Amino acid sequence: MLQPYACQPEASRGRLHDESYSTFRTPFQRDRDRIIHSSAFRRLKHKTQVFVEHEGDYYRTRLTHTIEVAQVARTIAGALGLNTDLAEAVALAHDLGHPPFGHTGEDALALLMEPYGGFDHNAQALRIVTKLERHYADFDGLNLTWETLEGIAKHNGPVEPPWNYALAGVNGMWDLELGTNASAEAQVAAVADDCAYNHHDLHDGLRAGLFTEADLCELPVLGECFATVDKLYPGLDPMRRRHEALRRVFGVMVEDVIAVARNRLEALQPQSVEDIRNMQGPIIRFSKPLYQNIKAIKSFLFTRMYRAPTVVVERKRVTGMVNALFPLFLDRPELLPDDWQDDVAKALAKGNEEGRTEIARVVLDYVAGMTDRFAIQEYNRLVGNS
């Protein structure tokens, strides 16, 4: 039984292109399935979080991260009486727009795209699911429901103008009400993202030798979790000790979110999803004490992991690859694959300045869609040591 403030599948605002109702699946289940079967979702297997894809089989990729986020989102949504299918769909789609090389690739493309309308991975995810996935006979994209598109656009909160060109384009086709909160389900996906990456980045950083368990014991929450494990399992094997402590950190975050949301929902008594959208701030969030503790953990990870000397060297290397590939394709769009040449021709037909912008956006779609390994291969093939 869904709560009244949950997104009810029978009350969905529908799809941009009308389709008959599925016999066996709700609209949000259908969205979830289309996302899972998309080309962009499969490519997440070879896109990275922090480490470049070839560095080790144990590190998280965008795909494993996305699966973890979806699992947490379903857990939280179910505990709160929300629509688990919608929460899962938004979680599965939330990173579809990420380029190769994680946030490093995003930073590089954002600078390169400044003259041409900008780049943001959330906006690019919308572009993928409304335009770039071209498999269906009746429409471009996946033709997702309004609620899933809304969740992709603003799961991190309202989006104020000026908007990225990709976001503005989708919003121009279908008003996503960017100035309001997203549904509670989309908010759940955003918090699940925080829970998942804070947890697994600690795992991956330990495995990479960027810090030790002793370092983590100095941090809030982590120290208490390691102490609990040591009390319950004295002399435990180091790898099991690590896993037991970090899974407790995961539990602390998820349980905190659920407890805070239940208290706020009880106090505010929303009676519809519109009540959620029109609230002052999100309904799904961490408690203030835990939020401060998570900030301390994030600060530690930023210094010791995301800006570790070995990671910085790799960031510089892959930034150079993106900075070489993008202008190469921009100046020589004939180097793009044959199945991209129709888009190139349409862009060139628009004349000099507008055509240049359109070509840049085609190049962006191509480069942002690359996996880490394909970007490296293309760089070696086209640029190499020249």
Side-chain angles (χ1 to χ4, degrees):
M1 293 292 294
L2 298 180
Q3 295 293 335
Y5 44 78
C7 282
Q8 313 291 331
E10 64 275 9
S12 170
R13 300 192 194 183
R15 306 176 187 277
L16 191 60
H17 306 279
D18 288 339
E19 295 185 56
S20 58
Y21 199 88
S22 173
T23 305
F24 304 108
R25 295 173 294 168
T26 71
F28 305 141
Q29 289 172 338
R30 208 172 184 185
D31 284 357
R32 176 200 60 203
D33 295 347
R34 287 182 178 185
I35 292 162
I36 289 172
H37 287 279
S38 68
S39 299
F41 187 79
R42 290 194 296 276
R43 287 196 297 270
L44 294 177
K45 176 183 178 183
H46 296 297
K47 293 191 178 190
T48 41
Q49 288 291 110
V50 177
F51 300 100
V52 173
E53 186 268 331
H54 67 272
E55 290 184 328
D57 290 340
Y58 290 104
Y59 301 130
R60 265 67 170 194
T61 65
R62 286 280 162 200
L63 181 59
T64 55
H65 163 72
T66 295
I67 292 169
E68 290 177 19
V69 174
Q71 175 265 314
V72 178
R74 285 194 70 93
T75 298
I76 297 174
L80 298 176
L82 300 172
N83 191 301
T84 56
D85 297 321
L86 177 58
E88 183 180 22
V90 175
L92 290 169
H94 87 283
D95 268 356
L96 290 180
H98 258 294
F101 313 129
H103 289 287
T104 302
E106 180 167 14
D107 292 344
L109 285 175
L111 286 174
L112 290 164
M113 282 295 295
E114 275 187 357
Y116 310 111
F119 175 74
D120 168 78
H121 76 268
N122 284 332
Q124 190 67 14
L126 282 171
R127 188 166 167 85
I128 287 168
V129 301
T130 58
K131 178 180 172 68
L132 298 180
E133 287 284 329
R134 295 169 179 170
H135 305 295
Y136 295 89
D138 294 325
F139 46 78
D140 287 340
L142 305 180
N143 201 30
L144 303 178
T145 61
W146 185 92
E147 290 78 11
T148 299
L149 294 179
E150 177 212 26
I152 297 171
K154 55 184 185 179
H155 58 275
N156 289 323
V159 187
E160 300 298 330
W163 299 317
N164 170 284
Y165 81 94
L167 178 57
V170 174
N171 195 63
M173 290 191 299
W174 207 4
D175 183 4
L176 298 176
E177 300 174 5
L178 296 173
T180 65
N181 295 315
S183 66
E185 287 84 355
Q187 294 179 38
V188 162
V191 172
D193 186 25
D194 279 349
C195 293
Y197 77 70
N198 282 318
H199 170 257
H200 63 54
D201 283 359
L202 293 167
H203 256 297
D204 287 352
L206 284 170
R207 184 173 288 278
L210 298 177
F211 43 79
T212 66
E213 284 87 347
D215 294 325
L216 298 188
C217 286
E218 300 297 317
L219 294 171
V221 181
L222 284 150
E224 294 93 320
C225 290
F226 273 100
T228 298
V229 171
D230 290 341
K231 183 177 180 180
L232 291 172
Y233 307 101
L236 187 64
D237 169 81
M239 292 299 289
R240 292 178 188 267
R241 175 177 180 258
R242 173 190 300 181
H243 182 270
E244 284 292 329
L246 292 183
R247 78 184 186 94
R248 281 169 168 75
V249 174
F250 214 151
V252 167
M253 290 187 288
V254 172
E255 289 169 14
D256 180 86
V257 169
I258 292 171
V260 169
R262 282 176 171 167
N263 288 338
R264 299 196 73 226
L265 289 164
E266 178 64 29
L268 296 171
Q269 291 289 307
Q271 296 303 304
S272 69
V273 65
E274 293 308 315
D275 288 347
I276 299 287
R277 290 191 176 104
N278 293 317
M279 283 181 177
Q280 292 295 315
I283 192 75
I284 311 295
R285 64 190 188 193
F286 296 110
S287 66
K288 289 182 180 179
L290 185 60
Y291 178 74
Q292 292 303 316
N293 290 335
I294 290 173
K295 281 181 66 177
I297 295 170
K298 286 182 176 179
S299 177
F300 172 86
L301 285 170
F302 183 86
T303 303
R304 298 293 297 274
M305 185 173 182
Y306 312 142
R307 293 298 181 268
T310 54
V311 175
V312 168
V313 168
E314 191 66 3
R315 279 172 56 88
K316 183 176 180 181
R317 184 175 79 91
V318 299
T319 296
M321 292 182 182
V322 176
N323 285 342
L325 287 172
F326 184 89
L328 175 64
F329 289 125
L330 182 60
D331 291 335
R332 298 181 59 192
E334 69 274 10
L335 292 175
L336 294 175
D338 290 346
D339 55 352
W340 287 78
Q341 290 304 317
D342 283 348
D343 289 336
V344 170
K346 291 175 184 175
L348 291 174
K350 296 191 175 182
N352 291 334
E353 186 173 342
E354 186 180 359
R356 179 85 171 172
T357 294
E358 289 300 313
I359 286 289
R361 292 172 180 178
V362 172
V363 170
L364 171 69
D365 292 337
Y366 181 62
V367 174
M370 290 180 174
T371 62
D372 290 18
R373 63 171 58 178
F374 184 67
I376 293 168
Q377 289 171 2
E378 286 295 272
Y379 175 82
N380 290 335
R381 182 176 72 87
L382 295 170
V383 182
N385 295 320
S386 62

